[in-house]
Amino acid sequence: MTDGLKLPLLPLRDVVIYPHMVIPLFVGRERSIQALELAMIADKQIFLVSQRDAAEDDPRQSGLYTIGTIAQVLQLLKLPDGTVKVLVEGLRRAELSDLTESEGAFVAVLSEVASEDLTRADAEVLTRTLFNQFDQYVKLSKKVAAEVLTSVTGIDDPSRLADTIAAHLSLRLEEKQAILDILPVQARVEHLMALMESEIDILKVEKRIR
């Protein structure tokens, strides 16, 4: 991706979408449906970014977070009530540097966010440590299905593993966005570990009390 890439923008209420996530969205706002129309004409790519305030109907740039996810539209279904159900897959992070309009839709001007190159040894250590902690979290917590653990077992890229785990944790929107905002992989892994650590401590205490 080069800086200055322009993609139709879809503002999200109450959800943060990470790279590699596949998720259905229901879209009802005219501007957002128009953005999807534009994406379908082009290469089916769209920029997904969360709103700071879910109640806002027509958010401008100041009402949106800066870091979002470039996504691929996999399926689009127009429903009888005029809304659109769309299946998207997150591809990679990008930064919203400007907002323009085209044919009634918002168009995001994006800048690249650099991904760092980790050595294989560092990547292995980060992946293993994060997986072990998530394993402990899942076993103690009743909030995450055991199948989720199986689904992340094969992921050997720490960035992807961190994003996948973050998607399954029950966190507030601001916390999910904070994880999306952390670009260095090691810092993101450490942040997630700290979140799970404090949750594990609480769960252990609860277990003792019971």
Side-chain angles (χ1 to χ4, degrees):
M1 180 180 118
T2 49
D3 285 357
L5 173 72
K6 291 183 178 177
L7 284 180
L9 179 140
L10 185 62
L12 305 171
R13 302 188 206 246
D14 292 326
V15 63
V16 171
I17 292 175
Y18 296 101
H20 311 292
M21 250 176 103
V22 175
I23 190 169
L25 299 171
F26 290 89
V27 179
R29 289 182 275 187
E30 196 48 53
R31 226 186 249 285
S32 298
I33 292 172
Q34 204 50 42
L36 284 168
E37 298 278 354
L38 281 182
M40 296 311 282
I41 297 164
D43 55 3
K44 296 191 177 168
Q45 288 197 356
I46 195 157
F47 183 62
L48 306 170
V49 66
S50 303
Q51 296 181 198
R52 294 179 186 275
D53 176 6
E56 203 175 335
D57 248 353
D58 197 19
R60 302 289 145 163
Q61 194 169 348
S62 59
L64 300 169
Y65 285 103
T66 312
I67 302 289
T69 302
I70 294 173
Q72 189 80 35
V73 177
L74 303 177
Q75 251 180 350
L76 188 138
L77 187 65
K78 293 183 177 174
L79 301 173
D81 64 357
T83 60
V84 171
K85 182 185 179 185
V86 61
L87 188 69
V88 293
E89 179 180 13
L91 300 175
R92 60 192 186 278
R93 285 169 171 75
E95 184 176 349
L96 176 63
S97 53
D98 201 8
L99 198 58
T100 62
E101 284 189 53
S102 169
E103 296 177 40
F106 281 137
V107 174
V109 182
L110 303 173
S111 52
E112 181 74 278
V113 293
S115 59
E116 73 217 276
D117 289 327
L118 294 169
T119 66
R120 174 168 284 188
D122 284 348
E124 271 178 19
V125 170
L126 283 175
T127 308
R128 193 168 58 243
T129 320
L130 184 57
F131 179 80
N132 290 343
Q133 179 136 24
F134 186 55
D135 180 49
Q136 199 184 351
Y137 173 80
V138 171
K139 282 172 181 161
L140 278 169
S141 165
K142 300 287 178 278
K143 293 175 190 167
V144 181
E147 301 83 73
V148 172
L149 203 56
T150 321
S151 72
V152 301
T153 308
I155 300 175
D156 55 4
D157 168 25
S159 176
R160 182 172 182 169
L161 182 62
D163 288 344
T164 308
I165 288 174
H168 288 292
L169 296 181
S170 43
L171 301 168
R172 296 197 326 275
L173 181 89
E174 295 78 13
E175 290 173 325
K176 292 220 175 216
Q177 181 64 41
I179 294 165
L180 190 71
D181 287 345
I182 302 172
L183 304 176
V185 179
Q186 185 157 351
R188 197 181 330 142
V189 168
E190 284 166 1
H191 180 79
L192 262 181
M193 301 265 293
L195 280 177
M196 285 191 285
E197 185 76 51
S198 56
E199 188 74 13
I200 286 167
D201 289 345
I202 294 165
L203 291 166
K204 281 180 176 168
V205 171
E206 282 175 359
K207 203 172 172 183
R208 275 206 303 276
I209 293 168
R210 278 206 300 274

